[in-house]
């Protein structure tokens, strides 16, 4: 009797020790992509609901299915809070079967969600945040960065304007980490190009009256006044540079973090002649115009921003990699496949993804048109220069990404 009980206990223990892989896996119903954005706050125009539309267009163009499974788009609002964004991403990954989180305006949220994706072994595709750390010390085998970062946004226009004769600079800088980063990287680029920094003044986030700040910029007699701020701060400061007549007095104004929706909001009377850097514009070619027309049909006539175009590109490339790997949920494997495949889509053309997760595609210096040159509300840029790739992005060996040393 005792011998039979021991045999039974041994058999039961053996069953309990069977690997989890031997148990039937739950059936997968869909490939799910979560657009985690700011749906109603300060980033809603540059990303927000338009990012959801861009993702839907990418899925439709891909055929709506991957490895025999339907592709579903979810949307969530991070409310510009890192804890809210992280919690939603964690729930999506852990309980709702989301394979990839896309968009992520607000760098603090992008950095936090990148860590959630790493721990869950899912995918984070950053198409809106601009922190250069995302491909620097915070790079991840689960993350790809599509939007331009603070390095490109600072270095490209700074070098271009110094070379065009803008030898002296003055900075109007938002007094928090984002503004400080833009200012420092631009100052370094100006110095490397042979220019000179005459001074800077910092302002609190949410400043509405820039009078004292702009008086200092005007008194500096700098050839270039650089606005190292964004969103409402950029709009307010740019509007007041026009009222102060800086451009009429021969000072060139450059915004280091500007989107087409900002220019449309301000109007060409205020922004004409400004220099802007971006990796996409809706009126570049037939492919961009076709996408913009379809986007506009769903967005009340609005044209897409470069951040929204990034969503289309990121989702398209993710679906290509997922198709190649079947129904795998291994985020690291999917990101590795995305890096191995050249990027290619009808609105950006061909590009690559570097080992640090940096998507590399053309970058442009734009000049804002005058009202007389414009053919319509969204006809705001003309291309001044296409920047060589080797100048447009931080060199791979200068970011400190641990992946490059096996980390």
């Amino acid at each position: 009797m005792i011998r039979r009980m021991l045999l039974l206990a041994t058999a039961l223990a053996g069953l309990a020790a069977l690997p989890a892989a031997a148990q039937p896996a739950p059936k997968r119903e869909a490939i799910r992509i979560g657009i985690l954005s700011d749906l109603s706050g300060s980033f809603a125009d540059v990303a927000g609901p338009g990012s959801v539309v861009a993702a839907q267009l990418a899925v439709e163009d891909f055929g709506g299915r991957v490895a025999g499974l339907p592709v579903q788009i979810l949307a969530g609002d991070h409310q510009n809070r890192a804890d809210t964004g992280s919690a939603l991403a964690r729930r999506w990954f852990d309980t709702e079967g989301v394979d990839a989180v896309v968009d992520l305006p607000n760098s603090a949220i992008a950095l936090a969600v990148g860590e959630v994706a790493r721990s869950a072994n899912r995918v984070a595709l950053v198409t809106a945040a601009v922190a250069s750390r995302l491909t620097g010390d915070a790079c991840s085998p689960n993350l790809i960065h599509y939007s331009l970062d603070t390095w490109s946004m600072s270095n490209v226009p700074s070098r271009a304007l110094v070379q065009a004769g803008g030898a002296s600079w003055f900075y109007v800088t938002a007094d928090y980490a984002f503004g400080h980063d833009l200012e420092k990287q631009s100052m370094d680029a100006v110095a490397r190009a042979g220019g000179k920094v005459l001074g800077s003044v910092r302002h609190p986030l949410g400043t509405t009256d820039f009078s004292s700040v702009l008086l200092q910029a005007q008194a500096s007699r700098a050839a270039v006044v650089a606005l190292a701020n964004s969103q409402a701060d950029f709009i307010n400061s740019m509007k007041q540079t026009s009222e102060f007549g800086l451009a009429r007095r021969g000072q060139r104004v450059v915004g280091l973090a500007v989107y087409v929706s900002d220019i449309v909001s301000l109007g060409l009377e205020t922004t004409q002649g400004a220099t802007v850097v971006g990796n996409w514009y809706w009126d570049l070619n037939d492919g961009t115009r076709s996408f913009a027309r379809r986007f506009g049909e769903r967005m009340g006539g609005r044209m897409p921003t470069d951040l929204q175009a990034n969503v289309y590109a990121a989702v398209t490339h993710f679906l290509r990699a997922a198709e190649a790997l079947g129904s795998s949920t291994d985020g690291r494997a999917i990101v590795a496949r995305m890096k191995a495949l050249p990027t290619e889509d009808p609105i950006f053309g061909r590009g690559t993804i570097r080992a640090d997760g940096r998507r590399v595609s053309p970058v442009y210096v734009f000049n804002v048109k005058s009202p007389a040159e414009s053919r319509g509300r969204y006809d705001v840029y003309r291309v001044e220069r296409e920047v060589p790739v080797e100048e447009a992005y931080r060199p791979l060996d200068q970011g400190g990404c641990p992946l490059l040393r096996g980390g």
Side-chain angles (χ1 to χ4, degrees):
M1 177 71 175
I2 293 174
R3 185 170 181 274
R4 285 200 301 273
M5 291 177 67
L6 286 171
L7 288 171
L8 179 61
T10 301
L12 290 172
L15 286 172
L18 283 174
Q23 308 300 319
K27 186 176 179 182
R28 244 187 132 188
E29 297 177 351
I31 304 292
R32 293 192 172 97
I33 299 170
I35 307 302
L36 185 52
S37 193
D38 173 6
L39 297 178
S40 57
S42 59
F43 295 100
D45 284 344
V46 294
S51 292
V52 179
V53 167
Q56 291 168 340
L57 288 170
V59 171
E60 291 168 17
D61 289 351
F62 199 82
R65 301 181 75 82
V66 166
L69 296 173
V71 181
Q72 298 175 351
I73 298 294
L74 288 69
D77 191 342
H78 60 45
Q79 300 171 29
N80 282 302
R81 294 178 53 183
D83 56 349
T84 299
S86 296
L88 181 52
R90 189 171 292 109
R91 190 185 80 211
W92 276 355
F93 291 143
D94 292 347
T95 67
E96 298 188 28
V98 168
D99 299 280
V101 166
V102 186
D103 205 25
L104 302 167
N106 186 310
S107 291
I109 295 169
L111 289 162
V113 171
E115 287 306 306
V116 174
R118 184 202 288 262
S119 65
N121 194 21
R122 294 295 187 267
V123 177
L125 304 177
V126 181
T127 58
V130 299
S132 57
R133 290 188 59 207
L134 290 161
T135 55
D137 67 295
C139 71
S140 162
N142 295 80
L143 183 146
I144 295 174
H145 195 185
Y146 280 78
S147 45
L148 292 185
D149 61 20
T150 50
W151 192 96
S152 295
M153 296 164 87
S154 298
N155 276 262
V156 171
S158 303
R159 186 187 302 114
L161 287 174
V162 171
Q163 291 172 349
S168 56
W169 286 59
F170 188 92
Y171 291 83
V172 174
T173 303
D175 194 11
Y176 63 108
F178 164 74
H180 301 170
D181 192 14
L182 278 178
E183 179 191 80
K184 181 185 184 306
Q185 297 204 49
S186 176
M187 285 181 173
D188 291 346
V190 167
R192 285 194 299 271
K196 183 179 181 180
V197 175
L198 300 183
S200 69
V201 61
R202 293 181 173 178
H203 65 83
L205 181 67
T207 295
T208 56
D209 184 358
F210 284 86
S211 301
S212 62
V213 170
L214 293 176
L215 283 172
Q216 294 179 64
Q218 193 176 69
S220 75
R221 299 184 183 275
V224 178
V225 175
L227 304 179
N229 52 22
S230 69
Q231 301 297 299
D233 286 332
F234 167 75
I235 289 172
N236 286 329
S237 58
M238 187 69 194
K239 187 181 298 180
Q240 289 171 52
T241 65
S242 178
E243 293 168 359
F244 272 72
L246 268 62
R248 291 194 301 276
R249 290 178 170 85
Q251 290 180 294
R252 189 161 185 181
V253 179
V254 57
L256 298 179
V258 184
Y259 302 101
V260 69
S261 54
D262 299 329
I263 301 299
V264 171
S265 175
L266 282 163
L268 298 182
E269 287 283 357
T270 298
T271 57
Q272 59 183 307
T275 298
V276 176
V277 169
N279 65 349
W280 192 85
Y281 176 52
W282 72 268
D283 199 21
L284 282 174
N285 53 53
D286 289 343
T288 60
R289 285 187 286 271
S290 174
F291 171 72
R293 185 188 68 252
R294 295 165 59 212
F295 178 95
E297 288 170 354
R298 302 189 190 190
M299 290 293 294
R302 287 188 179 189
M303 294 295 98
T305 66
D306 49 354
L307 304 187
Q308 292 156 345
N310 287 334
V311 172
Y312 180 93
V315 170
T316 298
H317 200 54
F318 169 82
L319 295 176
R320 289 179 64 209
E323 181 77 58
L325 293 176
S327 58
S328 172
T329 60
D330 184 340
R332 288 179 183 83
I334 292 172
V335 167
R337 182 58 64 97
M338 292 177 74
K339 290 178 178 178
L341 291 170
T343 62
E344 187 167 11
D345 60 69
I347 67 172
F348 280 92
R350 289 178 67 84
T352 58
I353 297 172
R354 301 192 317 195
D356 60 355
R358 171 76 264 163
R359 189 275 302 268
V360 174
S361 65
V363 173
Y364 306 92
V365 177
F366 299 111
N367 194 258
V368 178
K369 292 181 174 182
S370 70
E373 294 174 282
S374 176
R375 298 164 296 163
R377 187 180 182 206
Y378 288 91
D379 179 25
V380 297
Y381 292 159
R382 61 173 174 272
V383 177
E384 193 167 291
R385 178 174 179 247
E386 181 173 341
V387 184
V389 166
E390 60 271 17
E391 295 181 18
Y393 298 96
R394 180 176 59 196
L396 188 59
D397 61 356
Q398 292 181 14
C401 171
L403 296 177
L404 304 182
R405 55 178 187 268

